[in-house]
Amino acid sequence: MMFSYTGELLDGSQASIRFNFVPLVQFSCTVFVYAAAYDPLDPNGNITIKWDIMSWTPDGYVAVVTMHNFQMYRHIISPGWTLGWTWAKKEVIWSMVGAQTTEQGDCSKFKGNIPHCCKKTPTVVDLLPGVPYNQQFSNCCKGGVVSSWGQDPAASVSAFQVSVGLAGTSNKTVKLPKNFTLLGPGPGYTCGRAKIVPPTNFLTPDRRRKTQALMTWNVTCTYSQLRARKNPSCCVSFSSFYNETITPCPSCACGCQNKNNCVQSNSKLLSMVGINTPRKDNVPLLQCTHHMCPIRVHWHVKVNYKDYWRAKVSITNFNYRLNYTLWTLVVQHPNLNNVTQVFSFDYKPLVPYESINDTGMFYGTKFYNDQLMEAGPFGNVQSEVLLQKDKNTFTFKQGWAFPRKVYFNGDECMLPLPESYPFLPNSAHQNLLAFSTFISSVIFLLVTVW
């Protein structure tokens, strides 16, 4: 698109200037799409899939495949991860321990010993808990559920063993698989090419001897919310003690494509057997709301003290078909650098940049509220947070007491527009100060009289 401007110079002559905006627009759009997979609150977060060849076989190798979730607050929920790739040659999978492929493929050319999978593009899933012991492998058999690194490092690993045939039998003849894909459990992850790295070292059980893999390669997968879904999956509402106004979630915050299939909270359909059973296509059954989000996070500014203030955080599930196990809530707020106490949730500060401490992760306490139940009377969890004031920055004005960003299970939630935040009335600031002064005077008098 061309724009021109003609004007008069200081010497009285005319000059014409033309602007071409096409290259600029194309460049800005390219930068936006490229940056979509970058998470500023977790800049180093990724899932790394490591292949360690442990031994050679007459026609291939035996490898241990380990999936490390290095994301601080994004985990893989049920029904779990699905890993796929394309073989470089005509490889087959003779056997697997700790996982299985979803399809065997055409193995008709084999006589006697039939491979586990003959597909050019195998799709692998984790085994379910409780499988026979001889099918288990370390860090396997959790139904594909993998915790985030920040929440539980020990549970952020999944692994299986695979025996590959019709493949190379040395470091020089092995061909790396390509076109890796990862569902966790839905779309959103993009995987790079396999890269050969230095062999992994292992310690024997007595920790006195070190061994190493015969060959190792890594695949790195990163997450983009834009690739996962076109609409947010959660929204945020606000309220405060100093204003009766409740700022709701924006209308159709998560899209209204499910508006015609939602269910009223008092519908008789909810008493039907199997209504809460998840579907294979993961289509939600949402409660009818104006925002049509599966998850709503509510932040309430509850109490103001002289040196502290208190907020209440509530998470409500509006999906009748899904429980959120090992849920996480990430909040960005400048006063999270001075959290005094979190009453009902576990809390961990996230400091991706050492000089800035304004982000924290809330998550459920094990065996207490680490599972957010489906929509209904028990489909919510809540906690209060006590924060110490910084007199140089603290204020209730201009929405300062509300979060800047909110993430649920790793996806950013839609916040209300700033102009709709509960505002501080003109007289409220003076009243708050007067009340604090009054309380201090009463305490001083009581101490003096006593």
Side-chain angles (χ1 to χ4, degrees):
M1 186 179 294
M2 297 288 296
F3 293 90
S4 62
Y5 171 79
T6 303
E8 185 175 336
L9 302 179
L10 293 177
D11 60 0
S13 60
Q14 297 289 321
S16 180
I17 303 175
R18 291 184 177 182
F19 300 91
N20 186 350
F21 284 93
V22 175
L24 179 60
V25 173
Q26 289 177 345
F27 175 77
S28 61
C29 289
T30 301
V31 171
F32 178 78
V33 174
Y34 177 78
Y38 175 75
D39 188 349
L41 300 185
D42 190 14
N44 300 315
N46 68 75
I47 291 182
T48 299
I49 302 166
K50 182 176 63 172
W51 288 58
D52 291 311
I53 296 181
M54 307 303 294
S55 62
W56 302 111
T57 61
D59 70 336
Y61 58 85
V62 175
V64 172
V65 181
T66 309
M67 184 182 302
H68 295 274
N69 184 9
F70 292 120
Q71 299 174 111
M72 292 301 296
Y73 50 81
R74 185 176 295 107
H75 62 288
I76 298 177
I77 64 174
S78 180
W81 55 261
T82 301
L83 179 64
W85 64 83
T86 302
W87 290 119
K89 298 191 292 186
K90 297 182 179 180
E91 293 91 338
V92 296
I93 298 176
W94 283 114
S95 63
M96 300 187 74
V97 182
Q100 64 183 4
T101 59
T102 57
E103 296 182 47
Q104 184 182 35
D106 183 9
C107 297
S108 57
K109 67 179 181 180
F110 291 89
K111 307 295 182 181
N113 191 15
I114 306 299
H116 176 81
C117 178
C118 300
K119 287 182 69 68
K120 178 76 172 179
T121 56
T123 300
V124 178
V125 295
D126 193 15
L127 296 181
L128 298 175
V131 298
Y133 184 77
N134 61 351
Q135 298 179 25
Q136 296 183 24
F137 194 75
S138 59
N139 294 311
C140 85
C141 313
K142 296 178 287 186
V145 175
V146 182
S147 177
S148 63
W149 177 262
Q151 190 173 4
D152 188 353
S156 65
V157 183
S158 186
F160 60 89
Q161 180 179 279
V162 57
S163 177
V164 182
L166 303 184
T169 56
S170 69
N171 293 34
K172 294 182 179 181
T173 58
V174 165
K175 298 295 183 182
L176 277 57
K178 54 187 179 180
N179 301 333
F180 280 86
T181 60
L182 176 65
L183 299 178
Y189 286 95
T190 303
C191 299
R193 297 168 57 184
K195 296 181 180 179
I196 297 177
V197 296
T200 304
N201 291 317
F202 303 95
L203 286 176
T204 56
D206 60 6
R207 308 186 69 82
R208 299 178 62 186
R209 172 177 163 80
K210 182 185 294 185
T211 61
Q212 71 176 37
L214 303 177
M215 186 179 181
T216 299
W217 60 81
N218 283 351
V219 178
T220 302
C221 303
T222 56
Y223 181 84
S224 167
Q225 187 171 344
L226 293 179
R227 290 182 60 89
R229 57 184 62 85
K230 63 179 182 180
N231 296 309
S233 58
C234 53
C235 65
V236 184
S237 57
F238 294 140
S239 62
S240 65
F241 71 90
Y242 53 76
N243 193 314
E244 295 182 354
T245 302
I246 297 177
T247 302
C249 289
S251 296
C252 289
C254 300
C256 281
Q257 63 272 16
N258 295 315
K259 193 75 173 180
N260 296 328
N261 299 320
C262 64
V263 178
Q264 298 291 340
S265 58
N266 58 353
S267 173
K268 294 182 179 179
L269 291 174
L270 299 177
S271 59
M272 294 177 56
V273 177
I275 192 70
N276 300 113
T277 303
R279 289 174 43 169
K280 290 184 178 180
D281 56 6
N282 292 325
V283 173
L285 179 63
L286 299 182
Q287 184 181 124
C288 294
T289 59
H290 74 280
H291 52 75
M292 290 305 296
C293 288
I295 293 292
R296 183 192 65 197
V297 179
H298 185 75
W299 180 279
H300 174 66
V301 180
K302 187 175 182 180
V303 183
N304 178 49
Y305 305 107
K306 180 180 179 181
D307 297 318
Y308 300 87
W309 65 288
R310 186 190 294 249
K312 183 177 181 179
V313 184
S314 305
I315 308 172
T316 304
N317 185 4
F318 292 98
N319 189 350
Y320 287 102
R321 288 185 179 144
L322 183 62
N323 296 334
Y324 292 90
T325 305
L326 302 177
W327 59 266
T328 60
L329 179 72
V330 173
V331 176
Q332 186 179 40
H333 190 286
N335 211 161
L336 289 181
N337 62 351
N338 215 342
V339 174
T340 302
Q341 186 175 358
V342 178
F343 292 88
S344 300
F345 295 162
D346 288 338
Y347 176 79
K348 176 179 289 187
L350 301 177
V351 192
Y353 314 101
E354 294 183 0
S355 59
I356 304 175
N357 181 16
D358 64 350
T359 307
M361 178 177 68
F362 301 88
Y363 54 100
T365 303
K366 274 191 175 183
F367 310 116
Y368 175 58
N369 58 3
D370 60 338
Q371 185 177 36
L372 176 58
M373 300 298 291
E374 71 271 4
F378 302 105
N380 68 89
V381 290
Q382 55 190 358
S383 178
E384 295 188 4
V385 186
L386 185 66
L387 305 104
Q388 187 172 3
K389 296 179 180 178
D390 183 344
K391 296 181 180 179
N392 296 323
T393 59
F394 177 82
T395 179
F396 281 129
K397 295 181 179 180
Q398 300 177 341
W400 184 91
F402 299 107
R404 282 31 171 187
K405 285 186 177 183
V406 175
Y407 291 68
F408 180 80
N409 274 4
D411 284 337
E412 186 170 1
C413 305
M414 178 175 282
L415 273 67
L417 294 174
E419 55 265 27
S420 65
Y421 286 17
F423 63 89
L424 182 68
N426 293 331
S427 60
H429 186 62
Q430 289 80 2
N431 292 340
L432 289 172
L433 291 176
F435 180 75
S436 299
T437 304
F438 172 75
I439 293 297
S440 300
S441 301
V442 170
I443 293 176
F444 175 78
L445 290 173
L446 289 175
V447 172
T448 304
V449 172
W450 186 82

